[in-house]
Amino acid sequence: INPKIIGIGETGLDFYYNHSNKNDQISSLEEHITAASKLNVPLIIHSRNAEKETLEVFNSYKNYKLKILMHCFTGSKNFAEKMLNFNAYFSASGIITFKNSVELQNTFEFIPSEKLLIETDSPYLTPEPNRGKKNEPSYIKFTAQKLANLRNVELEKLIMLTTKNFNTLFSI
């Protein structure tokens, strides 16, 4: 294995725009799951409008010891709870800073601390107060502060926690 390969992805299911066939997306995801399992590296998952199907796929691989990162997680609390059974981590994007994202904020309050990460997702999903601008990594501080506020912890503690979680997930 090439030591530069630390994960596989972004991969997953996106049924929002339906730009590609659902079965083709599922087959591709299954190939990526197999590769990540063989290489023992994390799988970075995108799931949009596909909670049921994503769970169905992972249920087929429940005996695999997968390392999963739910990239830019915007799913339901119920979906997060079920993905925790697969040892998933969840990255919070700038979306959690939006005023109308109360349900997502509640979900990130629920997710265990040891499963939290912070996402930049440049150039999209820019956090408040820069919403509408092109996102950049320096704006991560706004997402981190919101997540710290939601979890009632100091920003420094949250940064240390999410850094530790990243290092654990990616075996660094």
Side-chain angles (χ1 to χ4, degrees), residues 18-167:
N18 290 317
H19 287 309
S20 60
N21 180 281
K22 286 183 180 186
N23 290 330
D24 290 344
Q25 288 187 49
I26 291 169
S27 293
S28 177
L29 174 57
E30 290 173 336
E31 287 180 34
H32 289 128
I33 290 171
T34 301
S37 177
K38 284 181 183 175
L39 296 173
N40 192 31
V41 295
L43 190 62
I44 295 93
I45 297 295
H46 173 101
S47 181
R48 187 171 185 197
N49 287 39
E51 289 185 4
K52 177 179 164 275
E53 295 86 350
T54 299
L55 286 169
E56 286 172 358
V57 169
F58 280 110
N59 276 323
S60 299
Y61 294 88
K62 63 185 169 198
N63 294 328
Y64 287 49
K65 290 188 179 194
L66 298 172
K67 300 173 186 178
I68 299 168
L69 168 56
M70 298 304 294
H71 161 73
C72 292
F73 188 74
T74 57
S76 68
K77 182 179 176 185
N78 183 50
F79 183 45
E81 192 169 18
K82 289 184 168 126
M83 288 305 298
L84 283 167
N85 293 324
F86 298 107
N87 195 31
Y89 288 71
F90 301 82
S91 68
S93 71
I95 293 173
I96 68 163
T97 68
F98 300 172
K99 290 177 184 74
N100 63 349
S101 68
V102 175
E103 188 176 327
L104 182 62
Q105 292 168 4
N106 292 338
T107 298
F108 271 95
E109 288 180 68
F110 159 79
I111 293 169
S113 294
E114 67 274 7
K115 296 296 183 180
L116 290 174
L117 294 167
I118 303 172
E119 181 70 50
T120 60
D121 201 48
S122 297
Y124 305 110
L125 309 179
T126 308
E128 294 289 349
N130 296 302
R131 190 172 179 186
K133 297 178 183 175
K134 181 178 175 182
N135 199 13
E136 60 179 65
S138 70
Y139 295 162
I140 196 170
K141 63 187 173 192
F142 300 109
T143 305
Q145 185 63 65
K146 181 64 175 187
L147 192 55
N149 293 348
L150 288 173
R151 301 189 63 85
N152 199 28
V153 298
E154 293 199 15
L155 179 60
E156 283 298 316
K157 183 177 179 185
L158 181 89
I159 291 169
M160 288 175 26
L161 171 77
T162 55
T163 300
K164 179 180 182 253
N165 292 348
F166 176 88
N167 291 336

